[in-house]
Amino acid sequence: MYTRWFKRLTILVLLLVIAPAARPIFSDSMPTSLLIERKGKAAPGTPEQRILAAIDAIRAGQIADATATVEALLLEQPNYRLAHLLRGDLYAMRAMAIRGIGGGLDNKEVAAQLEDLRQEAFQRNQHRLNPPHVNKLPGNLLVFAPEMKHAILVDTRASRIYIYANDNGTPKYVTDFYATIGKLGFDKYKEGDQRTPLGVYFVTSHLPREQLDKTYGDKADLYGVGAWPLSYPNELDRSQGRTGHGIWLHGVPEATYARAPLASNGCVAMANPEMQKIAEYLQLGKTAVVIAPGVQWLTQDDWAKQRDRAMETVEGWRHAWAERQTSRYLNYYSDQFRSDDGQNLRTWSEQKASVNNSKDWVDIELKDLSIFAAGENGSQLVSSFEQDYRSNNLENRMKKRLYWQRDGQGWRIVWEGASNAG
């Protein structure tokens, strides 16, 4: 009898001491008198909906319901660290009042892990308070190429990844999930800086778990169910001297359901079940992944106007080139322009003026056009297309990309050349 009770006491102590970590949103102090012994009702829903329901129940003093919800969640996701931490807090409340998530665990040795989990809870709750704008459209997704079925939008500040469908050219919300980015945030510049890049990228391939196991051995567990490499560095990144490689969408280790908001080496990581769902929407070589420091939420009318302006800009460039209006054509280029073969604006201008003077006629057709916006407040446009160029002495077809930067006078091209993905 003594041995059995000793084992139970040991398990309880372990739950209080080693349960993992997180933060917001309890009341400043939760009196133990609220802990009425009754059978609670577990909240339904996704793991994220349940973890937030448990936090709400704790705040409301509905401890039995919170306990039932956490226990049901852990039966479904036994490695969900944030849920373990809440369970530890619920046990601690039986002995004392606590302040905030992780208040039942006062241990400096795990302070960093506690803060990670608190930030995860904070980001999930912020998303609930500011859900996707179902009546608005993301200004980051302007034009889908016809064969592009979906696009992925990553909001690095909000730790969120959105999936949008191509609904006859209009982005249609599908779903969204919590996501992890680089340990030191975003705007990657060099190899090893542990930041997630900002820009427009494309899913280039799929590395299933079996392949990762063969390549990385035990380290493959870092990527969970698999990895989907992105086209970082893109053409503009390379022209700006940005370095690094191996930026992927991927899962998380088996030992945890989710990672902290800032925890990867630069990749975008999701819970394994959610990464598997996202994978259903990925077309290798076609799906765009727009990584931005925030989403431009626009009314449908404002989105249509922004899309039309972007298309008119690309069409104006094409028309000026086809009509050999050299001065007007060159006005579309930035002083910081670079071409894929390293030309600056001066040498580019000289070449184009010479070429245009040698032509009797020019016809240019753009097919499979896509336009996406990245950067702060959509300050960068990326247009990709198949270019069919014909003139009296030359015919050429190529996949091409233009990177545009907004300045005080409108959009200017900062990079032009053959595309390497998408």
Side-chain angles (χ1 to χ4, degrees), residues 135-155:
N135 295 321
K136 293 188 176 182
L137 299 176
N140 307 82
L141 310 179
L142 294 174
V143 179
F144 289 80
E147 293 185 0
M148 189 180 292
K149 296 180 181 179
H150 297 88
I152 308 297
L153 178 56
V154 180
D155 183 341

Side-chain angles (χ1 to χ4, degrees), residues 234-250:
N234 63 27
E235 301 90 354
L236 183 63
D237 292 327
R238 289 196 298 271
S239 75
Q240 294 176 338
R242 296 177 186 264
T243 60
H245 65 282
I247 301 298
W248 301 346
L249 303 178
H250 64 72

Side-chain angles (χ1 to χ4, degrees), residues 319-327 355-357 359-362:
H319 185 265
W321 186 16
E323 294 298 314
R324 293 172 292 148
Q325 298 174 358
T326 304
S327 177
V355 169
N356 282 346
N357 289 334
K359 303 293 183 182
D360 295 330
W361 60 270
V362 173

Side-chain angles (χ1 to χ4, degrees), residues 46-293:
T46 66
E48 181 170 67
Q49 290 169 333
R50 280 179 160 179
I51 203 74
L52 294 173
I55 292 172
D56 287 345
I58 294 172
R59 294 179 67 189
Q62 298 168 352
I63 305 305
D65 291 343
T67 301
T69 299
V70 168
E71 295 298 340
L73 176 53
L74 286 172
L75 282 175
E76 178 185 337
Q77 300 293 341
N79 295 326
Y80 198 166
R81 294 179 179 179
L82 181 52
H84 277 290
L85 182 66
L86 290 185
R87 180 163 68 175
D89 283 338
L90 288 164
Y91 275 106
M93 285 177 184
R94 296 172 181 271
M96 60 183 176
I98 67 173
R99 299 172 63 88
I101 291 179
L105 183 61
D106 184 12
N107 189 329
K108 293 181 180 179
E109 294 181 1
V110 296
Q113 293 95 318
L114 276 173
E115 185 58 25
D116 281 348
L117 290 175
R118 288 170 179 151
Q119 287 302 319
E120 178 191 337
F122 175 78
Q123 290 288 52
R124 290 183 185 276
N125 191 60
Q126 284 296 105
H127 174 71
R128 178 177 55 168
L129 296 175
N130 301 282
H133 295 260
V134 293
N135 295 321
K136 293 188 176 182
L137 299 176
N140 307 82
L141 310 179
L142 294 174
V143 179
F144 289 80
E147 293 185 0
M148 189 180 292
K149 296 180 181 179
H150 297 88
I152 308 297
L153 178 56
V154 180
D155 183 341
T156 56
R157 285 200 180 102
S159 303
R160 211 73 195 177
I161 185 167
Y162 298 89
I163 294 87
Y164 277 86
N166 176 4
D167 184 16
N168 294 317
T170 300
K172 181 180 180 181
Y173 171 80
V174 176
T175 189
D176 64 273
F177 300 109
Y178 165 84
T180 293
I181 65 165
K183 292 183 178 73
L184 296 182
F186 51 83
D187 200 12
K188 184 174 186 62
Y189 193 84
K190 63 180 180 180
E191 176 89 27
D193 64 7
Q194 296 186 319
R195 294 178 181 271
T196 297
L198 298 176
V200 177
Y201 304 96
F202 293 85
V203 178
T204 60
S205 59
H206 173 212
L207 302 176
R209 180 57 188 268
E210 297 78 11
Q211 182 176 342
L212 292 168
D213 285 334
K214 292 178 181 178
T215 304
Y216 297 101
D218 292 341
K219 293 181 179 179
D221 183 50
L222 177 65
Y223 309 111
V225 294
W228 286 258
L230 304 181
S231 58
Y232 176 86
N234 63 27
E235 301 90 354
L236 183 63
D237 292 327
R238 289 196 298 271
S239 75
Q240 294 176 338
R242 296 177 186 264
T243 60
H245 65 282
I247 301 298
W248 301 346
L249 303 178
H250 64 72
V252 299
E254 184 179 357
T256 185
Y257 173 76
R259 298 174 69 184
L262 305 177
S264 79
N265 290 323
C267 296
V268 179
M270 281 71 62
N272 288 321
E274 294 170 356
M275 184 66 250
Q276 288 176 313
K277 291 179 182 177
I278 292 171
E280 297 173 6
Y281 303 105
L282 302 180
Q283 293 172 276
L284 302 185
K286 293 181 180 179
T287 301
V289 179
V290 181
I291 307 177

Side-chain angles (χ1 to χ4, degrees), residues 7-19 105:
K7 287 182 178 179
R8 290 179 179 177
L9 178 61
T10 301
I11 291 171
L12 176 59
V13 171
L14 287 173
L15 285 171
L16 290 172
V17 174
I18 68 171
L105 183 61

